[in-house]
Amino acid sequence: MRKVVFVPFLFVLSFVVVGSYADWSMTQPEEDWQESLALGKEKLTKMHFYFHDIVSGKKPTAMKIAQASTTTKSPTLFGIVMMVDDLSTEGPEPTSKMVGRAQGLYASADQKQLGLLFAMSFEFTNGIYNGSTLSILGRNPVLQLVREMPIVGGTGVFKLARGVVFAKTCWFNMTSGNAVVEYHANVRENSDFEP
Ligand SMILES: *[C@@H]1O[C@H](CO)[C@@H](O)[C@H](O)[C@H]1NC(C)=O
Ligand SMILES: *[C@@H]1O[C@H](CO)[C@@H](O)[C@H](O)[C@H]1NC(C)=O
């Protein structure tokens, strides 16, 4: 008895779902990228670049914007928040060809070990990826040799992208605090969005 009631209900529901989807796509015909949401059109893109994190000197690219009253007493500087607009290049030298900019913030989010919360938009400014962005969000335990952080999305050719970056400190000046960090990015992107 119960089944008889349930089945028609599901049947009606499926019409409601299909109907509203069709309606929605008809109102947005130019958004043809929606079609490529189908699985199986993804490809893996590997990229390699360097971030230049300059915290001191005449032209810092990373600066402190906030800290807690207890931050200076914390061995991990817990509570410090840095705003960043780091140059990103093909090679480790700052004079190397520019690839893009890493814009966002990092903050000390661990009271016991040095662990940063990393929230960064990576904007490409060159070549086929020019204008596209990737969003990196995750934990960065900076003292580890290689840190892994999620790529949670993107725009432009990286619409609906996801992936992971591997970050490795290439060079660090203890006195100035400046660093060059090597990044390997593995991005699952939709091949239909290629320029
Ligand atoms: C990247 O795109 C911007 C905006 O469209 C343009 O001004 C700039 O010249 C482009 N850069 C390169 C290197 O193609
Ligand atoms: C490290 O930074 C200090 C202070 O800015 C500077 O005097 C020194 O030359 C730097 N060392 C290297 C190897 O660049």
Side-chain angles (χ1 to χ4, degrees):
M1 191 66 204
R2 198 180 280 168
K3 224 176 193 173
V4 177
V5 178
F6 190 58
V7 170
F9 174 71
L10 261 189
F11 191 66
V12 170
L13 190 70
S14 69
F15 268 104
V16 172
V17 171
V18 169
S20 64
Y21 174 74
D23 237 359
W24 179 69
S25 56
M26 269 189 291
T27 59
Q28 308 202 5
E30 67 284 357
E31 297 281 308
D32 59 348
W33 59 267
Q34 285 165 17
E35 270 182 32
S36 50
L37 287 176
L39 293 175
K41 291 186 176 178
E42 283 186 326
K43 64 169 185 172
L44 187 67
T45 300
K46 296 189 177 192
M47 285 173 284
H48 181 220
F49 40 79
Y50 294 82
F51 282 10
H52 300 266
D53 200 46
I54 312 299
V55 299
S56 64
K58 279 190 192 142
K59 285 187 177 170
T61 63
M63 52 194 76
K64 183 173 76 180
I65 56 164
Q67 67 176 30
S69 57
T70 52
T71 291
T72 49
K73 287 185 215 118
S74 160
T76 61
L77 293 178
F78 181 71
I80 195 169
V81 182
M82 305 283 289
M83 185 59 80
V84 174
D85 184 6
D86 281 357
L87 176 68
S88 173
T89 56
E90 245 174 38
E93 312 81 22
T95 51
S96 164
K97 189 178 167 193
M98 183 179 177
V99 174
R101 306 203 73 94
Q103 299 172 332
L105 48 88
Y106 58 82
S108 174
D110 190 323
Q111 290 181 295
K112 297 209 168 84
Q113 301 157 13
L114 213 47
L116 305 178
L117 165 71
F118 226 65
M120 209 68 79
S121 309
F122 187 83
E123 188 203 15
F124 291 86
T125 53
N126 230 322
I128 57 166
Y129 301 126
N130 188 11
S132 298
T133 68
L134 286 174
S135 295
I136 302 168
L137 177 68
R139 181 170 191 272
N140 186 351
V142 281
L143 295 183
Q144 270 179 27
L145 185 63
V146 178
R147 290 87 68 182
E148 191 181 313
M149 286 175 281
I151 293 170
V152 295
T155 63
V157 297
F158 296 121
K159 273 185 196 68
L160 304 171
R162 62 210 157 93
V164 66
V165 293
F166 300 95
K168 189 178 173 189
T169 304
C170 173
W171 180 86
F172 178 64
N173 184 329
M174 291 277 277
T175 319
S176 64
N178 297 342
V180 178
V181 184
E182 181 180 14
Y183 277 78
H184 283 275
N186 291 359
V187 189
R188 270 190 184 282
E189 57 164 309
N190 197 308
S191 51
D192 279 4
F193 300 146
E194 261 184 301

